[in-house]
Structures are given as C-alpha cells and as structure tokens.
Amino acid sequence: MDENGSVLKEALNIADLLGENGAQFQISTKYNDHGEEFFMEDDYGSADEDEDAHRKIMNPWDKSFDELRGQMFMVSEFVYKRITKPGVGDELVPDRARVKIDYNGYFEGETYAFDSTSMRGEFKTFTIGKSEVLEGLEEAVKSMKPSEEAQFVIGYQVLFGELGCKPRIKPKADALFIVKLVSFTDPGDAAALDNLTPEEQRSYAVVKQKVVDTRNHAKDYFKKNLVANAINDYHKAVNYLEQCNIKDEAEQLEQTETLIQIYTSLAVCYNKKDNPRKACLMINEIRRLGNLERLPRALFHEGRALMNLGEYGRAKTSLVKAQKLEPTNKEIAKELKILNERWEKSRQDEQSICARAFGLKERKDIRLTEEQISFTNTMKGTLEAFTADERSKQLTLPEGLTSKEMDMVQDLADQFGLRLNLYKDNNKDFYRLEKKSTAKKDEE
C-alpha cells in the first residue's frame, strides 16, 4: 500500500520481477482507511471466503524480525524456523526431490505479502538442487516434513542480496516466509544403474541401492503418464537384479521380494498401456518366484488383464482371491462388478450368435445347450486361424455334422467371407470351406 492508500490488485511474483522481462502489475485506488474491507474486483466468492483469503495474505508479525528470531531455532546461519503445525513421519525433503509448497512472503514492517501462492491460487512446484527458487527458500523447505507448516525468517544474504531490487525490494531485505509443504516425491536417478562398474554390477549390495533410484524414476514417469518410459526403467531394474551375485539366503529372499514388487509394477504399467497379455506374463513371473496367493495387488491386476482378454472365468478366480485377502477393498469390489457385467453381456452375445447360426428366432428366453455354445466358439476359433493363415486355401469339415450345425457353419462362413462347397468322394458327401479367391480360380 502506498502513501495515498493504493494497493496492488495482485501480489507480485518475485521470479517474474527479477527476470529479464520484468513484471506487470495494477494499482487499485478503491481502498480507504476507514476500516472497510478491501476485495479484489475479480473475486466472486462469498464475503466470508474473501475475508479468509484477505487475512491469509496479511503479515501475521508486526514486530521486528530480531524479536521473531528469538522465538525460533536456527536451521542455518541465515535461516531461522518456527514450526506451527508438525509434519508427518521422520523423512525430511531429500536432495533431487520435486516439492509442492504453499507460501506467503513478507518484508519486515510491511502489511501485505510481496509474493503469495495463496493469492495466485496455485501451489509452487520446483525441484531441489536446480536453483528454481530463491536459495534461502529452498534451504528452508529442505528442513521440512510432509504436511508440515512453518514460519521462516530468511536473511537477505540468501534472498535478494545487499542491493535488493529497487524500488520494490529494499537493500538487505530479510523476509518472513510462511510455508506449507504440501508434498514431495523423489524422482530418482535415471543413470543410477548405468554408471555402475562391472564389479559393482555383480554386487547385490550395490545394485539394490541403485535399484531404489531406478524404481523412483519409474514411479515419477508413471505419475507423469509416461508409462512406456516407466516400463523401460522397471525392466532395467529387473535385469540388473537378476544378473548380480547372491551370497546368502537373506540376500536371496530380499532379491525375490524386490523382484515381485517390480513385476507387480510392470503388470500395472502394461494394464495401463492396454497390453493385458504382457501384464499376464509379468504375473506369471511372480508365480514363478513365489506364492502369488498372498499378493492381493498382483491378483487384482491379473484379474484385470484376464478380463480384458475375455477370460472371464479365470479373471473372476483371481479377483475373488484378491477380495478374500482384502475384503474391504473398494477397487476390487468395483472390478468384480465390471467383470460380472461384461461376462453377462458376453453370454448374451454368445446366445445371439448361436441363435442366428442355428436359424432360431432371437428371443430372451432362448437357452442353448453348453455343447451348442462350445461348438460355435470352437468353429469360430478354427475359422479365425484358417483365414489368418495365408498358406491355407481350403478347410475340409469333419463328417457327421447335423443340419443345424451346417447352418451354423454357413452363417460363420458368410461372416468370414468364405465359400462352403459340397463335394463327392466314393459316393460320400463332404463339405469344404474355401477362401473365395481360391474358389474363383477353380471355377475359371
């Protein structure tokens, strides 16, 4: 706010202010000093919401920063901290982590925030160690735990320096930052395994540490929906784990457990990529390594893959096993519901196909026998293989088919673009399916 009572409509973004292009801002003169609330013109929230947002960007400290430092503990020479809400767990933000924060920044003696994600309505995301934010703010965030909220007084030495950035930032401007660490993830090191020497590649103790980095990198790819990249990372981790030397039973058990986790992640990825056959192959690797029956997540993704392959009976077996291990899991229950719906639709489609093949009128009360349905499916599979084989030109049908079965064959032949011909041999009739191009040449 200036001496005439004018205030910024939006908080300045310091990164823009210090950049080559500078920053643009607007001044509102609609503020008065009679105690009335000031609301931004583009704010359409309720009065209560406006008041809360307004309070949030006001400086909570009206005394000197030296007094505030006296109530804080030292993080480093130029960073002091006071925790206002403890975080979760014991892990601090690691190097390389990608963090998401909500913060407001204030200069000493000023009423309003000079920079505020709260006013912009979006979190700040950056990667530790890449100089994407002010040095002091990064140092402060590295001292935090997930969901922690804290206040930091940060010295000008690790903010804007001795000169500042006139006229907005005074020389030697210390700042108070109120920060909430929303989340952080470790993106891992993409080259962790590639940089190992041949001797290190043979050591399980070394490889397993680097595999942690590679898996984190794969998880980061997956979160960005770069699933193919994640698959490559996971397969790389598997290859290195399986090629290193195992010296005792403890390492063998640990290696097996890690491989099971990675193969499960690969099954998830392949299902995400709509490649259920590959997903099933990953589950089969788990089956080879250990007791699949104790792994609900692996069983769940096997069920999903089998369902997408149309193997509904086996899919239900896997999903039911998963549900027994985790009876309150809503995702498993949802998947079973989807499976039952697809399975029922598949049964109805089979009934419809068979009814048409046998020349029956389609009605909901038609109930074909299991033998009839089985014959239809077997014949359909045979014709699919026949039409796909470029070397095969003719397919002789077995003897003894009933007239209705022949009607069914004729219907399927029409669907596949085949010609059904009758031949005689030694006074016996036999039928042969021919690809129409071959039949046409014979006629010529």
Side-chain angles (χ1 to χ4, degrees), residues 366-386:
I366 291 175
R367 290 294 181 267
L368 300 177
T369 66
E370 291 294 328
E371 290 78 6
Q372 290 171 327
I373 294 175
S374 176
F375 182 83
T376 304
N377 291 334
T378 300
M379 184 57 65
K380 187 175 180 181
T382 300
L383 297 190
E384 286 176 346
F386 172 60

Side-chain angles (χ1 to χ4, degrees), residues 198-236:
E199 183 179 356
E200 288 173 331
Q201 292 175 22
R202 291 191 293 270
S203 170
Y204 172 73
V206 174
V207 169
K208 75 172 184 178
Q209 296 298 330
K210 300 302 180 182
V211 163
V212 172
D213 259 334
T214 304
R215 290 176 67 189
N216 284 335
H217 200 251
K219 290 174 186 176
D220 193 56
Y221 272 140
F222 188 85
K223 289 176 182 177
K224 296 176 182 176
N225 205 31
L226 299 172
V227 183
N229 300 65
I231 288 172
N232 290 336
D233 275 351
Y234 282 129
H235 276 299
K236 182 191 295 184

Side-chain angles (χ1 to χ4, degrees), residues 378-432:
T378 300
M379 184 57 65
K380 187 175 180 181
T382 300
L383 297 190
E384 286 176 346
F386 172 60
T387 53
D389 187 352
E390 295 181 355
R391 296 171 300 177
S392 298
K393 305 301 181 183
Q394 299 175 334
L395 176 67
T396 301
L397 297 178
E399 297 180 10
L401 296 181
T402 66
S403 59
K404 286 190 175 181
E405 286 172 340
M406 289 304 304
D407 289 341
M408 179 205 70
V409 171
Q410 181 64 68
D411 185 73
L412 289 174
D414 292 340
Q415 293 180 36
F416 282 89
L418 301 173
R419 179 170 295 179
L420 180 62
N421 290 324
L422 172 63
Y423 294 90
K424 285 187 177 291
D425 184 19
N426 294 327
N427 295 322
K428 286 186 178 181
D429 293 340
F430 68 94
Y431 290 89
R432 179 184 293 162

